[in-house]
Amino acid sequence: MRVENGVAYPEGDLTLDHTVGAMKEGEACIAGGAGAFDLSGLGPVDSATLSLLLNWRRAASAQGRALKFVNPPESLRALADLYGVTELVDLA
C-alpha cells in the first residue's frame, strides 16, 4: 500500500481473503502518519472490508488521531448502509 502526503492508497480486492494482510499494512500506514485512506483503487469488497475500516479507525483513535476514508466505491457505501454502520465508518 503506497502512502503519499499522508494519504494511504489501498488497491485491489479487499475481501475476507485479503483483510489480514491489509489490516497490518494499514496499521503501519497509520503509525507512519497517514490520516486518510483513498479507497478509489479498491476492487471487490465485502462485509470484512467494513470490519477492516473500523479496525483502522480504532488504530488511529488509539494514537489520538482522526482518520478519513475518501472516494469509496458505491458497493462499499451500499454495504455500510445495509449493515447500518454508515455513520461509524464515515465514508466521505
Side-chain angles (χ1 to χ4, degrees):
M1 187 177 319
R2 78 184 201 288
V3 178
E4 295 176 7
N5 300 319
V7 179
Y9 294 87
E11 296 179 341
D13 297 357
L14 204 52
T15 58
L16 181 60
D17 293 336
H18 303 95
T19 54
V20 172
M23 181 174 28
K24 293 176 183 178
E25 279 188 83
E27 288 174 349
C29 292
I30 293 164
F37 281 72
D38 185 322
L39 306 176
S40 61
L42 293 184
V45 296
D46 61 16
S47 59
T49 310
L50 293 173
S51 179
L52 176 65
L53 298 183
L54 291 169
N55 180 289
W56 287 343
R57 189 173 295 286
R58 281 190 300 272
S61 180
Q63 295 179 25
R65 299 185 16 240
L67 185 65
K68 291 185 199 179
F69 298 113
V70 297
N71 302 318
E74 187 55 39
S75 58
L76 188 57
R77 286 182 188 276
L79 276 175
D81 288 343
L82 176 68
Y83 289 109
V85 296
T86 301
E87 291 180 14
L88 290 174
V89 179
D90 190 23
L91 300 172

